[in-house]
Amino acid sequence: MILLNKLQNPKVKPAAFILLAGLLLVCVPHFSHLPIWLSLVMLSLLVWRSCYELQLCPIPGKAILFILTVMLITGIVFSYHTIIGRNAGSAMLLGLLCLKLFEIKSYRDVFVIINLALFSIVINFLFNQSIIVAVTMIFAVLFLFTALISYQHNYKKLSEIQPVPIPVIKSNEKNHFSLAFKMLVQAIPFAIILFILFPRVDGPLWGLPEDAFSAQTGLSDNMSPGRISKLSNNTSVAFRVKFDSVTPPPPDKLYWRGPVMWNFDGYNWTAPSNERLAMHNFQFTALGDKTRYTITLQPHNKYWLFALDIPATLPPNSIFSADMQVLSRSRVQKLKQYTLDSYTKYQLPAINRLPMDQYLKLPANKPSNQQLSKSRDLISQLKDHSNPQNTVNNVLNYFATQNFYYSRQPPLLYDNPVDEFLFETKRGYCEHYASSFTVLMRLAEIPARVVTGYQGGEINPIDQFMTLRQSDAHAWSEVFIKDKGWIRIDPTAAIPPGNIENTEDALRINSTQKKPDKLFKKSWLTEQIKQVRFAWDAVNNRWNQWVLGYNNKQQKALFTALGIKEISWQGLSQLLFSFLAVLTAILAYIVFSNKTKESTDTQRYYAKFLRKMAKHGLDKEATEGAINFAERAAIRFPQYKSSIDKITTLYQQLRYDKFSDEKLLLFQKFVNSFKPG
Amino acid sequence: MNKNNHYDQLNHIIDVANTIILGKDHKIRLALTCILAKGHLLIEDLPGVGKTTLAHTFAQLLGLEFSRIQFTSDMLPADVLGISVFEQAANKFTFHPGPIFCNVLLADEINRATPKTQSALLEAMEEKQVTLDGKTRNLPEPFFVIATQNPSEQIGTFPLPESQLDRFLMSISLGYPDATAERQLLAANDRREALNEITACLQDNQLHQMQDQVQHIKTSDALLDYVQALLSYSRESGLFAYGLSPRAGLALLHVSKAWALLSDRDYVIPEDVQAVLPSVVRHRLQPIDPAVSKPAALLLKDVVIP
């Protein structure tokens, strides 16, 4: 109740709340990366200012403000150990922006705040370029513009000394809002032209500080099975694939190769970087047709480019490593798109000249613990000396029959992870299986390595893009068998379906075994949720393909499609400025021609009045003057004579006398409130 | 304040004129509009409907000097403009001004005069000055001609050519009074006597001020659009022998402004244009279809107010 009364207080300025709402919209997306204390401080500062606007509490004086500022800066220095760089810099700016709210003494301060807030909108895109942030920022601009217009309007009213009190109706925030909206809409053509024609360069236009890329999620270049007790269920997109062919390769071929790990110290698998040898003339025999696909890779700040085995071509600026991985020459720090050809059926050369020692290396035995002793016993039973392939099958069979479970939350493993897993816990996810399988192979003197990457992928029925999520991350093994070369073994797939704890996982894992999905019935609700997710994913994908993925290559492609073969950035700039000039000229013509806002707005509302009259059976002749019509209308509806006369008089004044905003507002009000019948 | 004052005075003039010329309020307003717009008025009507009374009334009300010429076919320009006569006593020519040297001139039955005399009058009307024997003499200010014309089917007339008709700002026809007015007219005393009793309502330069004020009436873009639409329709519709001239357009606008002043408004609305349009285009437009007697009706019916 108190709040309501306060809101109705004429001293309470709605413009202030519009400004605060705009600021809130600017700040909210930042909360995901700001320290929690800073998010809370910013929120409370915004709330404090709102309470002041509602005249519920005072604002801090200069001394308190100074102390707050010092505390804020100290806090940021403690959190980030610096005040420069993307993260600390933006935290600083946003915090100070919220503090600036308590320094409003004149209109100038308000305008400073609004300008800073507009700048902070740009900062948001340094962190997140998703469609949600973009839409939120559009609303933020809308609110900030409305606040700007409202403040400007009040400012004008105060500075103008009006000799005669004219019947001004109170300036209306709704109108300011629609004006701000109109301004945004008018800016759209400019934005489109700038977007399409602004010369794109290969690298980023300006350098971002290093910390801008620190917190990307994704695969890592080391793996420690048993150290993490819970597999995260991160459904964020890793990359999207569009196959040229109508049907994608079968699920058992959908292994997207990422980092290959071969160095094992008993706990950790790592992929030492010195192994990255470019292999220019990699030889293999293709057994089937090649598959062409385009990958849109989310930035992960690593060098890996994912590919199906075995790529026949390489994207530009990339290399092919000795362990068959495609690597970019520079870190993938923004959305990257590349097209590849892969042969999913292949025969590797029987003899590989690589030294095999590294793929047989086992962790050195320490006297303190008897690492791998049980595994050694096991493999001596399972090993087939004459045929390594039999050894592989025996081990897989061991996984299938000895009560192994697939679990997202396996027990932790300590001193002897491989043995503990194989003989005690028997619960784990892909990393556990890949790791222990590889170790068993090495114990059997079969060269083996762990391959990480993504497996499977979900085809979005809406746009036929295949999506690979972080939760699709997978680890499997590769063994080297003489005469066959490296072959892929996925030990996780050996687990019987009944031993998988989670239905979704069972579906995913068994998809590689081509078992029918019908085993697992899905509820109607999950099906619906899935459909919504598909749709949302398709939208996100379009956003990625068309907006974020619009680079110089696509710009070139666009111009080629338009018949312009070669266009330099100078040409683009010329084109850009000529388009902008033409657009400005068109807008100027619209603004300055006689069909101005004034006459059109007046006419629009008068037409609304006429429609209302027409509903009651009284039509105005096109050749009839407004006053003549009003006289006719007053005879027909004497009870509305006064409103009809008011509307008509205002219409005549607006259209044929001097136009004024105040009169237009009054006119709009009368027309809107006119309700005959 | 000034404006309201003028409005009251103008209303008073109209009220008084209404007591003399009965049942012709709209025509009186049009005639007054014509005076405010500094134009000349052509009345096309039969004799005896009150043309002279109208002219006389306005001269009296506005405090102006009135004279009248009855045109005949043997009239010479000198009969209108004046003549220089040699005076032996002074041994020089002395100019004897003709009846045109007045404020309100009633040129009765102008189509009875020969074209030569007609054009002498019309030239003087346009230039507001008379040039005789190489000397130019200005006509008094204000100068206002009310010309009457008998319907041209009568024998022995010289119809005014279109170019000459264009000199008249407006053309009206008074027509017969309606039954009530006629009854009042018949029952009351002689109008002429009443005419002598009325006194001037305006001071020396007040009419001049009002005429100045007409210039300052606003015309918005929307209104100019409407006027242009009317003009182009008269030219392009094919309903008229020839369209309205630019001068006619200016005249229409000017008269509309004066009409707006009469309505106590400082801006013109389409209704003003519609009200004065018949009298402005009556003598300027000739419908191709001889059955159409009122050209303005066609325009009003077809041209949409933008």
Side-chain angles (χ1 to χ4, degrees):
Chain A
M1 267 320 281
I2 298 170
L3 208 68
L4 261 177
N5 289 339
K6 293 276 184 189
L7 269 175
Q8 279 152 6
N9 189 327
K11 275 187 188 166
V12 173
K13 293 184 286 286
F17 289 99
I18 295 168
L19 174 63
L20 287 168
L23 277 180
L24 186 67
L25 282 180
V26 171
C27 292
V28 159
H30 285 288
F31 290 168
S32 63
H33 64 83
L34 288 178
I36 294 169
W37 67 265
L38 186 57
S39 307
L40 291 177
V41 165
M42 280 159 59
L43 266 182
S44 32
L45 288 176
L46 288 173
V47 170
W48 192 347
R49 180 73 203 188
S50 324
C51 290
Y52 168 74
E53 291 295 337
L54 290 169
Q55 296 169 344
L56 294 174
C57 63
I59 50 167
K62 259 189 185 163
I64 299 174
L65 210 56
F66 180 74
I67 294 167
L68 279 175
T69 313
V70 170
M71 281 167 65
L72 184 91
I73 295 172
T74 318
I76 286 169
V77 171
F78 266 97
S79 295
Y80 293 97
H81 307 294
T82 176
I83 51 163
I84 52 168
R86 181 190 66 159
N87 295 344
S90 56
M92 182 95 150
L93 181 71
L94 288 164
L96 293 181
L97 173 63
C98 291
L99 273 176
K100 178 79 186 166
L101 280 175
F102 300 101
E103 261 195 348
I104 301 180
K105 289 194 183 60
S106 63
Y107 285 105
R108 195 180 157 277
D109 294 320
V110 174
F111 299 143
V112 166
I113 287 178
I114 291 175
N115 276 318
L116 273 178
L118 288 171
F119 182 71
S120 307
I121 283 176
V122 181
I123 294 177
N124 259 320
F125 292 113
L126 297 184
F127 291 94
N128 189 339
Q129 304 179 351
S130 73
I131 196 163
I132 294 180
V133 169
V135 171
T136 314
M137 287 310 107
I138 287 174
F139 278 101
V141 172
L142 198 56
F143 275 97
L144 291 174
F145 273 21
T146 310
L148 189 62
I149 293 164
S150 291
Y151 274 107
Q152 199 100 45
H153 190 90
N154 294 335
Y155 183 60
K156 213 171 91 192
K157 262 206 304 206
L158 289 180
S159 60
E160 264 176 14
I161 301 151
Q162 284 163 346
V164 193
I166 49 165
V168 187
I169 48 175
K170 233 187 126 225
S171 73
N172 191 341
E173 267 67 29
K174 218 175 96 191
N175 292 310
H176 298 156
F177 189 78
S178 64
L179 180 60
F181 183 75
K182 268 185 214 161
M183 285 164 72
L184 266 188
V185 171
Q186 282 165 352
I188 288 175
F190 286 97
I192 291 175
I193 287 180
L194 280 169
F195 178 78
I196 294 177
L197 292 180
F198 196 88
R200 306 289 163 131
V201 288
D202 259 331
L205 263 188
W206 52 86
L208 277 175
E210 260 315 297
D211 65 346
F213 307 104
S214 55
Q216 311 279 7
T217 55
L219 294 177
S220 72
D221 47 10
N222 65 75
M223 181 179 106
S224 339
R227 288 293 165 88
I228 300 155
S229 71
K230 193 166 188 275
L231 184 63
S232 84
N233 196 7
N234 183 353
T235 56
S236 64
V237 173
F239 55 94
R240 289 190 175 85
V241 191
K242 177 83 173 164
F243 289 99
D244 273 14
S245 59
V246 184
T247 47
D252 65 326
K253 300 288 181 202
L254 290 175
Y255 282 84
W256 305 92
R257 181 180 285 259
V260 177
M261 304 186 190
W262 52 268
N263 191 29
F264 185 54
D265 64 358
Y267 306 97
N268 263 321
W269 285 93
T270 49
S273 53
N274 60 2
E275 186 52 22
R276 286 177 183 153
L277 307 162
M279 216 153 112
H280 296 293
N281 39 6
F282 183 77
Q283 298 290 324
F284 67 95
T285 320
L287 294 180
D289 290 335
K290 65 181 175 186
T291 309
R292 170 166 285 204
Y293 51 95
T294 302
I295 289 182
T296 311
L297 181 61
Q298 299 285 337
H300 52 50
N301 201 33
K302 309 277 185 190
Y303 296 93
W304 315 316
L305 302 180
F306 299 96
L308 288 177
D309 288 336
I310 294 171
T313 53
L314 284 181
N317 284 321
S318 63
I319 49 171
F320 192 63
S321 78
D323 41 21
M324 306 199 299
Q325 196 190 354
V326 183
L327 293 167
S328 167
R329 284 189 192 276
S330 55
R331 284 177 186 270
V332 180
Q333 292 179 331
K334 55 179 189 173
L335 205 72
K336 187 177 175 76
Q337 212 170 53
Y338 55 93
T339 304
L340 280 176
D341 289 325
S342 282
Y343 290 95
T344 54
K345 288 177 185 160
Y346 54 88
Q347 170 77 58
L348 287 174
I351 298 146
N352 202 316
R353 281 163 293 139
L354 276 176
M356 283 296 150
D357 296 353
Q358 58 186 21
Y359 299 116
L360 288 166
K361 207 179 110 193
L362 287 164
N365 248 338
K366 289 174 198 162
S368 57
N369 61 28
Q370 283 299 302
Q371 268 217 358
L372 305 176
S373 57
K374 287 182 185 170
S375 305
R376 267 179 229 279
D377 297 342
L378 175 69
I379 204 69
S380 59
Q381 295 165 28
L382 296 176
K383 190 173 173 185
D384 183 332
H385 290 277
S386 55
N387 190 350
Q389 183 69 51
N390 284 345
T391 314
V392 170
N393 291 342
N394 289 343
V395 173
L396 288 177
N397 195 37
Y398 180 78
F399 282 135
T401 54
Q402 295 297 314
N403 271 334
F404 279 91
Y405 284 84
Y406 183 92
S407 170
R408 287 186 164 264
Q409 295 158 49
L412 286 173
L413 304 172
Y414 301 98
D415 287 343
N416 198 348
V418 177
D419 277 8
E420 281 169 37
F421 170 69
L422 283 174
F423 304 103
E424 292 164 32
T425 64
K426 294 193 174 186
R427 284 170 188 275
Y429 43 87
C430 53
E431 290 188 0
H432 298 78
Y433 290 96
S435 163
S436 50
F437 179 83
T438 310
V439 169
L440 286 175
M441 286 300 113
R442 287 186 179 185
L443 288 170
E445 289 173 344
I446 300 171
R449 58 192 181 190
V450 174
V451 184
T452 58
Y454 296 87
Q455 187 258 311
E458 187 176 37
I459 290 276
N460 189 334
I462 293 169
D463 56 6
Q464 301 303 321
F465 270 80
M466 178 180 270
T467 308
L468 275 296
R469 296 170 192 284
Q470 295 304 347
S471 55
D472 293 325
H474 194 50
W476 59 92
S477 297
E478 274 183 338
V479 293
F480 186 84
I481 291 175
K482 285 203 176 82
D483 303 333
K484 286 188 178 171
W486 287 104
I487 55 171
R488 177 170 59 226
I489 308 290
D490 187 355
T492 317
I495 304 161
N499 288 2
I500 296 166
E501 289 176 353
N502 183 307
T503 330
E504 286 287 318
D505 287 336
L507 273 176
R508 193 162 54 80
I509 291 162
N510 285 287
S511 68
T512 57
Q513 303 293 320
K514 295 181 190 163
K515 280 177 188 160
D517 281 1
K518 282 168 200 156
L519 275 172
F520 311 98
K521 245 188 154 178
K522 292 175 208 157
S523 74
W524 176 86
L525 188 68
T526 39
E527 203 48 40
Q528 293 307 305
I529 290 171
K530 207 171 173 181
Q531 286 306 313
V532 172
R533 216 189 63 202
F534 276 139
W536 174 237
D537 207 52
V539 170
N540 265 321
N541 186 29
R542 300 250 156 88
W543 175 257
N544 277 349
Q545 303 290 331
W546 295 346
V547 181
L548 299 183
Y550 185 78
N551 54 20
N552 62 335
K553 230 167 73 192
Q554 278 172 317
Q555 200 170 35
K556 242 182 215 152
L558 179 74
F559 280 101
T560 316
L562 291 175
I564 304 165
K565 282 269 148 46
E566 275 298 318
I567 189 152
S568 61
W569 67 268
Q570 289 96 333
L572 266 178
S573 316
Q574 283 169 8
L575 207 61
L576 173 70
F577 282 108
S578 6
F579 264 100
L580 286 182
V582 168
L583 194 65
T584 313
I586 291 171
L587 280 183
Y589 175 76
I590 293 170
V591 170
F592 293 113
S593 69
N594 11 344
K595 296 280 171 282
T596 51
K597 161 192 171 280
E598 308 173 355
S599 60
T600 49
D601 264 13
T602 312
Q603 276 173 296
R604 216 176 55 231
Y605 279 91
Y606 188 64
K608 192 172 173 184
F609 164 71
L610 291 184
R611 280 198 299 277
K612 285 183 177 183
M613 293 303 287
K615 258 189 208 160
H616 289 79
L618 197 65
D619 286 307
K620 178 180 166 288
E621 301 290 329
T623 57
E624 191 177 20
I627 287 183
N628 292 342
F629 175 69
E631 280 167 7
R632 213 151 59 83
I635 293 167
R636 177 84 172 269
F637 305 110
Q639 65 270 40
Y640 304 123
K641 190 176 183 309
S642 71
S643 350
I644 292 172
D645 283 350
K646 264 185 215 156
I647 289 170
T648 308
T649 311
L650 276 170
Y651 172 68
Q652 298 283 16
Q653 288 175 353
L654 281 168
R655 192 137 164 75
Y656 300 110
D657 195 7
K658 223 174 118 198
F659 178 87
S660 74
D661 283 318
E662 282 79 14
K663 270 187 192 159
L664 181 65
L665 288 176
L666 199 64
F667 179 57
Q668 291 174 351
K669 206 183 98 191
F670 279 140
V671 170
N672 284 334
S673 60
F674 178 66
K675 281 188 188 71
Chain B
M1 285 312 286
N2 205 9
K3 182 186 126 192
N4 289 341
N5 195 12
H6 284 169
Y7 175 66
D8 291 342
Q9 281 182 317
L10 288 170
N11 259 352
H12 180 61
I13 291 171
I14 290 165
D15 287 345
V16 176
N18 266 326
T19 63
I20 310 290
I21 304 132
L22 298 171
K24 293 284 165 212
D25 182 62
H26 188 64
K27 299 290 155 71
I28 289 168
R29 280 173 181 275
L30 283 174
L32 185 57
T33 306
C34 192
I35 298 169
L36 289 175
K38 294 189 194 173
H40 305 291
L41 180 65
L42 178 67
I43 304 179
E44 277 190 298
D45 223 326
L46 297 166
V49 289
K51 299 184 294 257
T52 314
T53 318
L54 180 74
H56 213 150
T57 308
F58 275 117
Q60 287 275 70
L61 281 170
L62 303 176
L64 301 174
E65 194 189 320
F66 172 78
S67 72
R68 175 186 171 157
I69 312 170
Q70 178 68 50
F71 280 82
T72 58
S73 55
D74 56 354
M75 248 180 158
L76 293 173
D79 296 326
V80 178
L81 305 178
I83 192 162
S84 294
V85 178
F86 186 76
E87 284 194 7
Q88 262 176 332
N91 200 20
K92 64 171 186 183
F93 282 98
T94 315
F95 180 67
H96 290 261
I100 199 168
F101 286 87
C102 67
N103 294 122
V104 178
L105 176 70
L106 177 64
D108 232 347
E109 296 194 83
I110 190 170
N111 56 341
R112 291 213 175 273
T114 54
K116 194 178 177 185
T117 314
Q118 282 174 0
S119 59
L121 171 71
L122 292 164
E123 247 178 75
M125 276 162 59
E126 185 69 17
E127 311 289 327
K128 305 228 164 163
Q129 63 188 22
V130 171
T131 305
L132 271 176
D133 306 330
K135 201 177 170 205
T136 300
R137 293 175 179 85
N138 284 330
L139 291 174
E141 180 72 27
F143 177 67
F144 173 58
V145 175
I146 298 177
T148 72
Q149 188 169 257
N150 275 338
S152 47
E153 58 263 26
Q154 293 200 355
I155 302 162
T157 58
F158 299 91
L160 288 170
E162 277 79 18
S163 58
Q164 307 276 36
L165 283 173
D166 207 24
R167 303 271 162 89
F168 288 98
L169 187 64
M170 296 167 76
S171 157
I172 57 174
S173 106
L174 284 174
Y176 299 116
D178 59 26
T180 2
E182 182 108 63
R183 184 57 172 260
Q184 244 180 309
L185 191 72
L186 294 173
N189 294 329
D190 188 6
R191 294 283 112 189
R192 297 290 165 98
E193 275 172 32
L195 191 58
N196 289 332
E197 283 163 19
I198 57 175
T199 48
C201 293
L202 292 187
Q203 306 298 321
D204 273 348
N205 61 344
Q206 270 183 326
L207 180 65
H208 194 249
Q209 280 174 13
M210 288 177 186
Q211 287 172 337
D212 269 356
Q213 208 180 335
V214 169
Q215 313 272 9
H216 295 116
I217 303 284
K218 279 171 283 195
T219 50
S220 71
D221 286 339
L223 185 101
L224 295 181
D225 286 347
Y226 181 50
V227 171
Q228 273 195 307
L230 287 169
L231 294 178
S232 65
Y233 185 79
S234 75
R235 292 164 197 167
E236 286 154 16
S237 64
L239 293 171
F240 307 104
Y242 31 80
L244 290 169
S245 64
R247 180 156 66 184
L250 284 171
L252 178 60
L253 205 59
H254 202 67
V255 176
S256 303
K257 285 179 179 179
W259 186 265
L261 181 71
L262 264 189
S263 314
D264 195 24
R265 229 184 304 102
D266 65 349
Y267 56 92
V268 183
I269 61 173
E271 276 86 344
D272 297 330
V273 180
Q274 293 183 338
V276 300
L277 185 73
S279 53
V280 175
V281 302
R282 209 176 108 95
H283 54 295
R284 290 184 165 105
L285 281 182
Q286 201 170 359
I288 285 177
D289 182 0
V292 178
S293 59
K294 289 179 178 168
L298 290 177
L299 288 170
L300 289 179
K301 186 167 69 66
D302 292 341
V303 179
V304 170
I305 299 177

